[in-house]
């Protein structure tokens, strides 16, 4: 079966649009957010709010990634304590490296 010039150009145009869409499309929607807290009161309120919410935190140490569980915040010393665990598969999309 021989394609006509119009069919070849149409096919090439469709493939070009598909490739452009594939390369420019968003593949990841996660962006780390840096907190700009000026004083201890706003830091304390932000930390206590994070502690109350049911969120998962991933700690990046070099090439390794850990899930922070049982998060607790000491507002007097501004320290966070938690237990570290392996990052589950559903959170691997937010990790840029391998969990070793």
């Amino acid at each position: 079966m021989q394609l006509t010039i119009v069919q070849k150009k149409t096919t090439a145009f469709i493939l070009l649009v598909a490739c452009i869409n594939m390369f420019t499309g968003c593949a990841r929607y996660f962006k780390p957010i840096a907190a700009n807290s000026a004083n201890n009161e706003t830091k304390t309120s932000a930390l206590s709010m994070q502690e109350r919410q049911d969120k998962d935190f991933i700690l990046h140490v070099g090439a390794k990634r850990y899930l922070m569980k049982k998060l607790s915040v000491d507002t007097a010393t501004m320290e966070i304590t938690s237990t570290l665990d392996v990052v589950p598969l559903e959170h691997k999309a937010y990790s840029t490296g391998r969990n070793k």
Side-chain angles (χ1 to χ4, degrees):
M1 180 175 123
Q2 198 70 348
L3 296 176
T4 65
I5 299 289
V6 174
Q7 289 174 332
K8 288 180 183 178
K9 287 185 178 183
T10 304
T11 305
F13 178 74
I14 291 172
L15 289 175
L16 177 68
V17 170
C19 287
I20 290 173
N21 186 31
M22 183 177 68
F23 291 125
T24 61
C26 293
R28 185 179 280 208
Y29 298 102
F30 169 73
K31 284 188 175 181
I33 300 171
N36 295 326
S37 299
N39 55 22
N40 280 343
E41 291 84 24
T42 55
K43 287 180 184 180
T44 303
S45 65
L47 287 174
S48 62
M49 183 175 63
Q50 293 295 331
E51 186 179 16
R52 285 190 305 264
Q53 293 177 348
D54 187 25
K55 290 189 174 186
D56 294 323
F57 292 94
I58 298 174
L59 176 65
H60 297 249
V61 180
K64 296 184 179 184
R65 310 295 185 250
Y66 302 100
L67 180 69
M68 297 174 70
K69 292 177 125 182
K70 299 178 185 172
L71 190 71
S72 65
V73 180
D74 184 5
T75 56
T77 60
M78 299 301 288
E79 291 181 351
I80 298 174
T81 56
S82 69
T83 57
L84 300 179
D85 199 2
V86 178
V87 178
L89 291 176
E90 61 263 15
H91 296 307
K92 292 286 185 179
Y94 302 113
S95 181
T96 56
R98 290 185 179 171
N99 193 3
K100 298 180 182 178

